[in-house]
Amino acid sequence: MDGSIERNMERLLDDLAGIPLTTVPALVRQKSRDFFWYSPVLNRQLRGKSAEAVVSPRDEADVIRIAAACFRHGVPITPRGGGTGNYGQAVPLQGGVVVDMTALDAIEWQRPGLVRVGPGRKMGDLDRATRPEGWELRMHPSTKRTATIGGFVAGGSGGVGSITWGGLREPGNVAAARVVTVEATPRVLEQRDREAGVVNHAYGTTGLITALEMPLAPAWDWIDLIVAFPTFMDAARCGYALALAGGIVKKLATPIPWPTPASFRLLGEHCPDGHAILIAMIAAPSLAAFKSLLLQHPSGAITYERPSDEAPGETPLYEYTWNHTTLQILKRDRGFTYLQCLHPAARVLESVAEIAALFEGELAPHLEFIRMNGQVTASALPIVRYTTEERLHEIIAAHRERGVSIADPHVYTLEDGAGHKRVDVDQLGFKREADPHGLLNPGKMRSFQAVA
Ligand SMILES: Cc1cc2nc3c(=O)[nH]c(=O)nc-3n(C[C@H](O)[C@H](O)[C@H](O)COP(=O)(O)OP(=O)(O)OC[C@H]3O[C@@H](n4cnc5c(N)ncnc54)[C@H](O)[C@@H]3O)c2cc1C
């Protein structure tokens, strides 16, 4: 940060008069946390970190005032949506203010295949609004019901739907982002198409997003299914075949081995003892084609088949997939953690089998089939019995030696953690323009040096 600017929190708060804010320590601490505790390493490093105030802009004009005032007084800014990130993205490392963006949640317009929306809108609420016109988000994290679209673009990478559309970083998956810079006179920039990548998976270090244009997909009636298999590799083979079947409209193919499903309390009767499962979401008109594909995998038996239901009190099956699988385990035992891997597309099933055998008893595999760079591959979120940080590093190194990419979820800097999720644009160069004093989420973009 520029040493010539004296940090002055008190004067900042005076300058923000009229914008809702709190300095009540318990509330500020609560909004300074996310799901970093998934990682025992981050839990040790980030526990207790807190902002000094939470500011809640009501509109873009408030965001601009906050940006200008923070620049004037040298106060760090950590943007926040739903606070569901896993790598401490929304945890302020150097105090300052958390900027809660959730009030910026209006839909500006919707057209066939495209919606323009405030960053603070929860993705579940967004889909509910666009579905009557026949459209929905192309992809969403399994935290769809609690996370915001701005937090997804700035902190997430992909999820339910990525089997068809790829991850957020794929060209065309974020149409535009409106961004407020942190300067003496903040600018408001419309970043379109590839240029929108400057804020994608940048952890809020490159600007405050005040609007997003998100491409949409046709909304289907989705059917949730569980297919039980005698072995994990049977489930993996079937999931891969489903992923490759271009004519079957789907959103999920998630193989999970026994005993992980034993922790899925509400699904007990549908997860037979000793069996691996494949969770799938299939568009209703493709159900017959999916069942026909299952005939090629005769060891599989459907144990659950219901319309996906997101009503309050209901649990759609996607809340057992992606990082919710890990959460189901952590609810029972905090002695586990996880990894984020990407198997090489050229030898997906061989690579999956190799890793499963290598770490048998220590890692419980869990795959999410996705498209990436035009190829079908498996993203993996294995559950790891945590012993020591050294062992965790050994496991990560062993994956990398075998050609499996790791986006390390046990570090909080972009450079060290984002791995294959990093967007291929010059985020560092953009940050030098948009946040010259390095006030946005300082410490998360390690390679940034403040402009003197
Ligand atoms: C159980 C569980 C399951 C998950 N599953 C998935 C998954 O399937 N796929 C996936 O990608 N992620 C997943 N995640 C991570 C996370 O839930 C998602 O990435 C989610 O979209 C984050 O949204 P949020 O609103 O909670 O963001 P936050 O956690 O509030 O913020 C995330 C990042 O975005 C920044 N940010 C937020 N709003 C703005 C803004 N307006 N302008 C600039 N920066 C901003 C924050 O500073 C932070 O760095 C999961 C997490 C959990 C705990």
Side-chain angles (χ1 to χ4, degrees), residues 38 79 81-86 89 142-143 148 151-152 156-158 203 209 322-323:
Y38 263 48
T84 66
N86 289 115
Q89 295 110 307
S142 56
T143 44
T148 63
F152 185 43
S157 54
Y203 298 180
I209 303 167
W322 288 88
N323 235 335

Side-chain angles (χ1 to χ4, degrees), residues 300-357:
I302 293 176
T303 58
Y304 183 103
E305 178 184 333
R306 264 178 224 173
S308 194
D309 192 350
E310 298 177 321
E314 298 298 328
T315 309
L317 281 193
Y318 67 69
E319 290 186 0
Y320 293 90
T321 70
W322 288 88
N323 235 335
H324 267 80
T325 314
T326 322
L327 183 61
Q328 302 293 347
I329 298 287
L330 287 172
K331 277 185 195 166
R332 288 196 164 191
D333 186 343
R334 289 278 182 106
F336 288 94
T337 187
Y338 76 118
L339 287 176
Q340 298 177 145
C341 319
L342 185 73
H343 288 280
R347 46 185 293 272
V348 183
L349 291 178
E350 295 86 333
S351 174
V352 166
E354 181 185 8
I355 294 292

Side-chain angles (χ1 to χ4, degrees), residues 7 55 94 143 157 176 199 226 254 275 353 360 389 392 450:
R7 178 166 165 174
V55 193
Q94 299 177 16
T143 44
S157 54
V199 290
I226 296 176
T254 309
H275 282 67
E360 197 177 350
E389 210 170 316
L392 203 54

Side-chain angles (χ1 to χ4, degrees), residues 19-198:
I19 302 178
L21 65 83
T22 180
T23 54
V24 174
L27 295 177
V28 177
R29 273 200 301 275
Q30 193 189 10
K31 294 270 174 164
S32 299
R33 291 176 61 80
D34 61 13
F35 280 67
F36 64 80
W37 55 265
Y38 263 48
S39 160
V41 181
L42 292 182
N43 199 28
R44 179 171 51 72
Q45 293 173 343
L46 300 180
R47 201 176 31 201
K49 301 267 182 219
S50 182
E52 292 140 82
V54 178
V55 193
S56 305
R58 297 155 296 183
D59 51 28
E60 188 181 82
D62 280 356
V63 175
I64 293 169
R65 266 184 71 197
I66 293 166
C70 284
F71 184 87
R72 214 163 30 247
H73 301 299
V75 173
I77 302 171
T78 305
R80 180 185 173 90
T84 66
N86 289 115
Y87 334 119
Q89 295 110 307
V91 176
L93 299 178
Q94 299 177 16
V97 293
V98 160
V99 180
D100 178 343
M101 303 295 285
T102 51
L104 277 75
D105 66 350
I107 293 181
E108 280 180 46
W109 48 253
Q110 182 192 342
R111 296 177 192 146
L114 202 60
V115 67
R116 186 167 169 103
V117 62
R121 195 172 189 100
K122 285 187 184 148
M123 284 170 273
D125 294 338
L126 181 54
D127 266 2
R128 247 192 308 284
T130 56
R131 275 189 76 90
E133 302 294 324
W135 299 94
E136 63 180 17
L137 283 168
R138 287 179 174 180
M139 75 197 74
H140 62 79
S142 56
T143 44
K144 175 186 182 183
R145 300 205 279 188
T146 48
T148 63
I149 187 68
F152 185 43
V153 169
S157 54
V160 184
S162 290
I163 189 169
T164 301
W165 295 98
L168 274 174
R169 68 190 282 284
E170 298 272 348
N173 277 339
V174 180
R178 188 172 166 92
V179 181
V180 171
T181 65
V182 178
E183 301 174 271
T185 306
R187 288 170 294 153
V188 183
L189 308 173
E190 280 282 336
Q191 300 290 124
R192 305 204 71 82
D193 304 313
R194 190 166 187 275
E195 310 299 304
V198 292

Side-chain angles (χ1 to χ4, degrees), residues 129-449:
T130 56
R131 275 189 76 90
E133 302 294 324
W135 299 94
E136 63 180 17
L137 283 168
R138 287 179 174 180
M139 75 197 74
H140 62 79
S142 56
T143 44
K144 175 186 182 183
R145 300 205 279 188
T146 48
T148 63
I149 187 68
F152 185 43
V153 169
S157 54
V160 184
S162 290
I163 189 169
T164 301
W165 295 98
L168 274 174
R169 68 190 282 284
E170 298 272 348
N173 277 339
V174 180
R178 188 172 166 92
V179 181
V180 171
T181 65
V182 178
E183 301 174 271
T185 306
R187 288 170 294 153
V188 183
L189 308 173
E190 280 282 336
Q191 300 290 124
R192 305 204 71 82
D193 304 313
R194 190 166 187 275
E195 310 299 304
V198 292
V199 290
N200 186 349
H201 207 72
Y203 298 180
T205 59
T206 52
L208 293 149
I209 303 167
T210 53
L212 286 162
E213 279 174 37
M214 297 302 291
L216 302 173
W220 297 99
D221 289 332
W222 294 103
I223 309 298
D224 282 352
L225 293 118
I226 296 176
V227 189
F229 288 91
T231 72
F232 172 63
M233 285 312 296
D234 286 340
R237 271 188 289 276
C238 183
Y240 188 47
L242 171 60
L244 287 172
I248 299 180
V249 182
K250 64 234 168 229
K251 250 180 161 173
L252 271 179
T254 309
I256 301 172
W258 188 262
T260 303
S263 296
F264 299 174
R265 205 173 41 84
L266 297 175
L267 294 179
E269 60 185 296
H270 309 288
C271 300
D273 270 13
H275 282 67
I277 59 168
L278 174 71
I279 296 179
M281 266 177 93
I282 306 289
S286 283
L287 193 57
F290 175 60
K291 289 184 177 172
S292 171
L293 179 138
L294 281 183
L295 298 177
Q296 311 298 314
H297 301 265
S299 66
I302 293 176
T303 58
Y304 183 103
E305 178 184 333
R306 264 178 224 173
S308 194
D309 192 350
E310 298 177 321
E314 298 298 328
T315 309
L317 281 193
Y318 67 69
E319 290 186 0
Y320 293 90
T321 70
W322 288 88
N323 235 335
H324 267 80
T325 314
T326 322
L327 183 61
Q328 302 293 347
I329 298 287
L330 287 172
K331 277 185 195 166
R332 288 196 164 191
D333 186 343
R334 289 278 182 106
F336 288 94
T337 187
Y338 76 118
L339 287 176
Q340 298 177 145
C341 319
L342 185 73
H343 288 280
R347 46 185 293 272
V348 183
L349 291 178
E350 295 86 333
S351 174
V352 166
E354 181 185 8
I355 294 292
L358 188 65
F359 296 109
E360 197 177 350
E362 189 175 17
L363 251 73
H366 156 203
L367 307 179
E368 299 290 349
F369 284 102
I370 59 165
R371 288 190 77 79
M372 191 158 187
N373 302 326
Q375 290 180 299
V376 168
T377 186
S379 161
L381 296 94
I383 293 154
V384 184
R385 163 64 75 187
Y386 183 70
T387 51
T388 64
E389 210 170 316
E390 289 67 37
R391 180 60 190 149
L392 203 54
H393 289 145
E394 280 169 18
I395 295 171
I396 290 173
H399 277 79
R400 288 181 172 147
E401 280 160 21
R402 286 161 181 81
V404 179
S405 169
I406 299 271
D408 188 351
H410 303 283
V411 293
Y412 55 73
T413 57
L414 270 168
E415 290 84 346
D416 303 306
H420 50 265
K421 300 177 174 185
R422 198 85 200 258
V423 180
D424 185 23
V425 293
D426 182 14
Q427 294 184 335
L428 177 61
F430 184 79
K431 182 173 172 70
R432 289 197 187 105
E433 303 284 319
D435 180 28
H437 289 176
L439 293 168
L440 279 165
N441 214 350
K444 302 289 170 59
M445 191 186 273
R446 181 168 49 71
S447 46
F448 174 77
Q449 299 289 318

